[in-house]
Amino acid sequence: MLLTIDCGNTNTVFALWDGRRFVTTWRTATDHRRTADQYFVWLSTLMSLQKIEAQVTEVIISSTVPRVVFNLRVLCNRYFDCRPLVVGKPDCRLPVDVRVDPGTQVGPDRLVNTVAGFDRHGGDLIVVDFGTATTFDVVDSDGAYIGGVIAPGVNLSMEALHMAAAALPHVDITKPESVIGKNTVACMQAGVFWGYVGLVQGICTQIKAEHGRPMRIIGTGGLAPLFASGEALFDAIEDDLTMHGLTVIHSYNKDLENR
């Protein structure tokens, strides 16, 4: 069974893929201090609780936190007796081109989202991912990653507002009843919610104008459904886009090995 691991700045997601579907998905806080032994105890406990008896035989990792990868590699070597594929490393090939400025390092998560978006929706896409940062990935007609936009994440912006202004509380991110807030919390929620709706609309409009062809917008990340409720921002929402991309990349590399 394939274990897919998506390590982001805030959370790390583990999912088991049986070749047809994801059997289960788990999430934990990203912490570079977590050892391989701790990962294994956590995973084996969850598998036991869910009565999952299949053995992990292959692993693929996407990580935006390089310090975490070492312990994940040790986990794979020590407990699963396999060498993981790590997106962004030379031995992990991609089924799409990356056309950016020479010397530019593209985040593995953005490459994985590009692969997944192209596999499910074809080319000429904008993939909007609501993570620690809000990223816009532009997928060309042939599936190539050709650049994008990085904006502050929604939670990051809300936390910064709370930390920088002593009188402003920490509030939940939700769709407010109206744009005009009648109290401090409602004002903050309206600013963040409608501010990011405007940000997504504005950036996507500019990307489409520069790209010069019709494009579809795909939303992913935990907050995508919330922002889709405000306006018709997306042509589709994909909850498992990154994990799907990892399975596509893994399959592509297996096919190359078998040739």
Side-chain angles (χ1 to χ4, degrees):
M1 186 172 289
L2 173 66
L3 176 64
T4 60
I5 305 175
D6 173 31
C7 178
N9 290 293
T10 304
N11 292 312
T12 300
V13 180
F14 295 75
L16 285 174
W17 174 258
D18 67 1
R20 297 176 294 107
R21 65 185 180 91
F22 286 108
V23 175
T24 189
T25 301
W26 303 297
R27 184 181 299 267
T28 186
T30 298
D31 185 352
H32 70 272
R33 297 168 298 179
R34 188 172 288 118
T35 66
D37 301 327
Q38 289 174 312
Y39 278 121
F40 181 71
V41 169
W42 178 72
L43 285 168
S44 58
T45 300
L46 290 171
M47 292 178 71
S48 177
L49 288 172
Q50 293 184 238
K51 296 181 171 57
I52 298 173
E53 298 180 358
Q55 297 296 313
V56 173
T57 57
E58 297 175 293
V59 181
I60 183 168
I61 301 168
S62 168
S63 178
T64 59
V65 187
R67 295 176 69 184
V68 173
V69 175
F70 174 78
N71 284 325
L72 291 175
R73 284 186 180 275
V74 175
L75 168 72
C76 298
N77 295 331
R78 181 179 298 169
Y79 291 107
F80 303 139
D81 192 28
C82 71
R83 185 171 184 269
L85 271 175
V86 180
V87 178
K89 299 300 182 182
D91 62 338
C92 183
R93 303 288 296 277
L94 297 176
V96 300
D97 289 334
V98 180
R99 297 198 285 266
V100 294
D101 292 341
T104 300
Q105 288 191 330
V106 181
D109 55 330
R110 307 183 75 182
L111 299 176
V112 174
N113 283 348
T114 296
V115 170
F118 182 65
D119 184 70
R120 284 185 168 172
H121 300 280
D124 292 324
L125 300 177
I126 304 170
V127 179
V128 184
D129 189 350
F130 291 90
T132 304
T134 301
T135 58
F136 298 73
D137 301 318
V138 182
V139 185
D140 210 350
S141 56
D142 62 351
Y145 174 85
I146 57 172
V149 176
I150 301 175
V154 181
N155 285 296
L156 189 63
S157 295
M158 188 68 90
E159 187 65 25
L161 189 62
H162 167 63
M163 294 295 292
L168 297 181
H170 188 281
V171 300
D172 293 331
I173 299 169
T174 187
K175 180 183 178 182
E177 294 182 1
S178 64
V179 176
I180 302 173
K182 301 296 185 181
N183 55 67
T184 301
V185 170
C187 289
M188 292 175 67
Q189 289 175 332
V192 170
F193 181 85
W194 291 108
Y196 270 85
V197 167
L199 180 142
V200 172
Q201 288 176 327
I203 289 179
C204 288
T205 297
Q206 290 297 112
I207 290 174
K208 288 180 177 180
E210 189 171 306
H211 192 62
R213 288 194 298 272
M215 304 181 78
R216 283 171 291 175
I217 304 172
I218 311 302
T220 190
L223 291 174
L226 171 64
F227 285 96
S229 69
E231 293 285 332
L233 293 179
F234 309 115
D235 295 292
I237 294 177
E238 301 278 4
D239 294 333
D240 64 343
L241 190 70
T242 304
M243 307 313 284
H244 174 70
L246 288 173
T247 68
V248 174
I249 294 171
H250 178 267
S251 177
Y252 178 74
N253 280 268
K254 293 295 288 185
D255 288 344
L256 289 177
E257 287 180 11
N258 296 330
R259 288 180 184 175

